[in-house]
Amino acid sequence: MDTSAEKTPVRLAIVGLGKIARDQHLPAIAATPGFTVAAVASRNAALDGVPHFPTIEALLEGAPDVEAVALCTPPQVRRAQAAAALAAGKHVLLEKPPGATVGELAPLAAAATASGRTLFATWHSRFAAAVEPARAFLAEHAVRSVTITWKEDVRVWHPGQGWIWEPGGLGVFDPGINALSILTRILPRPVFLTAAELSFPANRQAPIAADLNFTDEAGTPIRAEFDFRQTGPQSWDIRVVTDDGVLTLSHGGARLDHDGRSLVDGTDAEYTGIYRHFAGLIARGASDVDALPLSLVADAFLLGRRRSVEPFED
Ligand code: NAP
């Protein structure tokens, strides 16, 4: 049983006070026993009444009583921040994707083990309400095919986020990796990429759309379509045809239908789930680092055909 609620709250610092820190981390921390926001590191933003530092280095120097950091910065700068925090004896929570490369994760995990601290590479979509019920269902049924449709309007969800179009920013894989984090959690067998086509705006370093084909050792067809150019209704859906009807995860994994019958109609509790899990990991002296969704994205960059499409302007 997680008894973290009864203990002194972990003194946590937020690093990078951007969209996700404000939209999700701060409300989830406030709603989850076990943590208190003790400091913020941000170049441009601050929180009333909370000690502020311009960089993580200044924070580690100036707030030695901070016990954990939540890195809410873009993936390109996170490895160095995580390494500095672990070297200073802090527990580290990484936003997704856990880094800009797959290879940088093993040294971080080793540093966490060596210092006896927790490293938690979060996949927020895995905490969506339908994910564990879907995993349980699919453990008992044969999977015939999977279709992922993950299409959103980049101008609505990532306004002015220049980092997303830079190398390491992932482009449309920034949301698409959430679908892959669900896929790799709910399917009973490992999946691997067989073909991909990535559409790069002529003026950008990251794809705006991707068509992906995966399979598994049983030859199951698994198709994913990611697109950042969606206007109107947004789609974050995974449809799994099984030997016992069709299972549909929708709304990013919050809802689950079986042959049109609702099994789960969840509310948005992904980040409270993340912080409860982080508290449990810290209490047990454990880490949780799964690079698999990022590996699948790296494979798409390795194997994918590239197509140049019209320039994208924010
Ligand atoms: P964002 O709004 O651009 O915020 C990023 C934060 O990091 C800002 O506070 C920013 O600047 C700081 N930062 C940016 N570049 C930096 C650099 N070079 N060095 C140090 N700090 C830097 O981005 P976001 O949407 O919150 O996304 C951050 C991460 O969360 C991404 O990995 C994203 O995939 C993930 N995420 C985002 C969402 C979402 O809906 N937006 C959902 C789930 C996960 P300041 O230092 O100026 O404050």
Side-chain angles (χ1 to χ4, degrees), residues 202-243:
N203 60 341
R204 301 288 180 170
Q205 295 291 322
I208 197 164
D211 286 336
L212 309 162
N213 286 291
F214 299 92
T215 192
D216 59 14
E217 290 221 306
T220 309
I222 301 167
R223 174 108 207 284
E225 279 185 80
F226 300 160
D227 206 319
F228 249 165
R229 298 165 297 192
Q230 180 88 342
T231 54
Q234 311 281 287
S235 307
W236 298 288
D237 304 326
I238 300 177
R239 184 173 184 273
V240 187
V241 179
T242 77
D243 62 357

Side-chain angles (χ1 to χ4, degrees), residues 16-20 42-44 72-75 77-78 81 95-97 124 157 161 163 174 271:
L17 200 55
K19 182 166 173 23
I20 199 62
S42 167
R43 298 166 308 177
N44 303 299
C72 303
T73 44
V77 298
R78 234 182 278 126
Q81 295 177 332
E95 248 301 348
K96 51 65 45 173
H124 65 85
W157 299 100
Q161 292 183 348
W163 59 264
D174 178 81
Y271 279 78

Side-chain angles (χ1 to χ4, degrees), residues 114-271:
S115 64
R117 295 298 183 269
T118 291
L119 178 65
F120 178 21
T122 63
W123 296 109
H124 65 85
S125 293
R126 286 185 176 173
F127 290 86
V131 172
E132 291 310 312
R135 176 180 163 90
F137 183 95
L138 296 176
E140 304 292 326
H141 296 89
V143 176
R144 305 280 191 233
S145 68
V146 182
T147 309
I148 300 174
T149 310
W150 222 258
K151 299 183 176 183
E152 66 181 45
D153 186 342
V154 65
R155 291 188 173 88
V156 170
W157 299 100
H158 305 278
Q161 292 183 348
W163 59 264
I164 220 165
W165 298 109
E166 293 300 320
L170 296 194
V172 76
F173 286 99
D174 178 81
I177 202 169
N178 298 332
L180 300 180
S181 75
I182 295 177
L183 181 75
T184 49
R185 177 72 191 160
I186 63 176
L187 290 191
R189 277 185 293 269
V191 303
F192 51 91
L193 189 79
T194 55
E197 183 174 277
L198 312 184
S199 298
F200 282 73
N203 60 341
R204 301 288 180 170
Q205 295 291 322
I208 197 164
D211 286 336
L212 309 162
N213 286 291
F214 299 92
T215 192
D216 59 14
E217 290 221 306
T220 309
I222 301 167
R223 174 108 207 284
E225 279 185 80
F226 300 160
D227 206 319
F228 249 165
R229 298 165 297 192
Q230 180 88 342
T231 54
Q234 311 281 287
S235 307
W236 298 288
D237 304 326
I238 300 177
R239 184 173 184 273
V240 187
V241 179
T242 77
D243 62 357
D244 180 18
V246 177
L247 205 62
T248 307
L249 291 96
S250 61
H251 296 77
R255 298 190 192 166
L256 187 67
D257 287 8
H258 180 223
D259 281 343
R261 189 170 60 88
S262 174
L263 299 183
V264 176
D265 188 358
T267 52
D268 180 4
E270 296 176 11
Y271 279 78

Side-chain angles (χ1 to χ4, degrees), residues 72-118:
C72 303
T73 44
Q76 296 98 325
V77 298
R78 234 182 278 126
R79 189 212 67 80
Q81 295 177 332
L86 289 167
K90 314 304 179 192
H91 306 291
V92 173
L93 181 155
L94 299 171
E95 248 301 348
K96 51 65 45 173
T101 68
V102 179
E104 70 197 50
L105 295 176
L108 289 179
T113 303
S115 64
R117 295 298 183 269
T118 291

